[in-house]
């Protein structure tokens, strides 16, 4: 019954090696020990659920940790996606701002060109007057 060692006949069983002698008792102390051992094994198999519960607990903890890591990974992906979206939104806003600034720059260019052209014209007139005066002064001295 226990699967280990030699077994002794119990109760009304015949002893190995012949003889039809019946026994009234349960047997010797060794057979009582085997019966107690078998009862202990049966008891532990039927009523002691610790190994099964420990295995289930380990499995649950392992699954929980995996799901927790997956959740953290998903959260970090969401965070990085949010950061990318914020960065993208910032780039779009910056691009719009630069476009508006460029449009303003292009609108101001004709006015600034006109101002520069006017300053250039005035400078040219002053230079012409200055050279005209210098030629007059030179003409005075060349008569000698």
């Amino acid at each position: 019954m226990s699967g280990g060692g030699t077994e002794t006949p119990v109760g009304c069983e015949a002893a190995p090696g012949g003889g039809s002698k019946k026994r009234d008792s349960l047997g010797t102390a060794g057979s009582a020990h085997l019966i107690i051992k078998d009862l202990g094994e049966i008891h532990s198999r039927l009523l002691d659920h610790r190994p099964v519960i420990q295995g289930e607990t380990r499995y649950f903890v392992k699954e929980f940790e995996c799901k927790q890591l997956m959740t953290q990974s998903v959260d970090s992906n969401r965070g990085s996606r949010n950061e990318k979206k914020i960065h993208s939104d910032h780039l779009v806003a910056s691009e719009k701002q630069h476009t508006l600034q460029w449009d303003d720059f292009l609108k101001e260019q004709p006015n600034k060109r006109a101002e520069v052209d006017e300053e250039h014209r005035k400078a040219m007139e002053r230079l012409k007057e200055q050279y005209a005066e210098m030629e007059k002064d030179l003409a005075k001295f060349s008569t000698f």
Side-chain angles (χ1 to χ4, degrees):
M1 212 188 242
S2 68
T6 59
E7 293 188 16
T8 340
V10 178
C12 299
E13 294 179 0
S20 60
K21 183 178 171 185
K22 289 188 175 182
R23 300 180 91 166
D24 314 290
S25 69
L26 291 175
T28 63
S31 66
H33 175 68
L34 291 176
I35 291 173
I36 292 172
K37 183 177 176 184
D38 288 343
L39 284 175
E41 287 179 15
I42 291 170
H43 177 269
S44 69
R45 286 186 182 178
L46 292 177
L47 302 175
D48 187 13
H49 302 295
R50 280 180 280 169
V52 175
I53 290 174
Q54 287 173 349
E56 289 293 321
T57 304
R58 277 189 231 108
Y59 177 76
F60 175 79
V61 168
K62 184 178 177 182
E63 287 294 313
F64 180 78
E65 288 173 349
C66 286
K67 287 181 181 179
Q68 189 176 18
L69 288 174
M70 287 173 48
T71 303
Q72 289 174 351
S73 174
V74 167
D75 288 344
S76 72
N77 285 342
R78 284 184 188 152
S80 65
R81 274 189 259 145
N82 286 343
E83 289 174 8
K84 287 179 183 177
K85 185 176 183 322
I86 290 170
H87 184 68
S88 175
D89 291 346
H90 176 70
L91 287 176
V92 168
S94 179
E95 183 180 359
K96 286 180 182 178
Q97 183 182 7
H98 288 297
T99 303
L100 290 173
Q101 288 175 346
W102 181 253
D103 290 341
D104 290 342
F105 174 77
L106 290 178
K107 287 177 186 175
E108 291 174 6
Q109 284 307 302
N111 296 335
K112 289 189 177 187
R113 179 177 170 218
E115 288 176 16
V116 169
D117 287 345
E118 183 63 27
E119 287 178 23
H120 182 265
R121 187 184 60 74
K122 288 179 181 177
M124 290 297 292
E125 284 179 15
R126 276 182 288 182
L127 286 174
K128 282 182 185 178
E129 290 173 4
Q130 183 180 358
Y131 281 116
E133 287 178 26
M134 289 172 67
E135 281 182 14
K136 287 180 188 176
D137 289 340
L138 188 61
K140 289 180 193 176
F141 294 116
S142 65
T143 55
F144 291 112

